[in-house]
Amino acid sequence: MKKNISKTTALCLVAAFFLALSGCGYQLIGGKGIYGGEISSIYVSIFNNETFESSIAQPVTDSFSKELLMTGFLRSTRKGRTPI
């Protein structure tokens, strides 16, 4: 049994293939990091706490800062505060 694909279906498949191939422009960060290495450190201030947990802002900020440091693209600049 032989099935023929209509021209419209074939055209849609080709268009979907090229659309998927083009993607959205997402790419992984290269070896120099964000903006080609121009930015090597940033300061992360304590997050604004809008929850009912009174002491959650500092641990969340610290965790976020640690995650940024683990990428290796940024470095810590000051101790005692939450810089990145």
Side-chain angles (χ1 to χ4, degrees):
M1 185 171 230
K2 191 175 180 183
K3 285 189 173 182
N4 291 331
I5 298 176
S6 70
K7 289 182 181 182
T8 305
T9 304
L11 183 61
C12 288
L13 288 174
V14 170
F17 173 75
F18 282 111
L19 183 62
L21 188 64
S22 67
C24 62
Y26 176 80
Q27 63 182 358
L28 296 174
I29 296 175
K32 291 187 175 184
I34 301 169
Y35 298 110
E38 294 176 18
I39 298 174
S40 61
S41 66
I42 60 172
Y43 176 77
V44 177
S45 63
I46 296 176
F47 289 158
N48 186 19
N49 184 6
E50 295 181 5
T51 67
F52 293 111
E53 293 288 330
S54 61
S55 61
I56 197 74
Q58 187 64 48
V60 170
T61 303
D62 290 342
S63 295
F64 179 74
S65 299
K66 287 177 187 175
E67 287 293 324
L68 285 176
L69 285 173
M70 286 175 35
T71 64
F73 296 122
L74 301 171
R75 60 182 167 79
S76 179
T77 56
R78 295 182 190 165
K79 301 230 179 210
R81 296 169 84 181
T82 313
I84 295 295

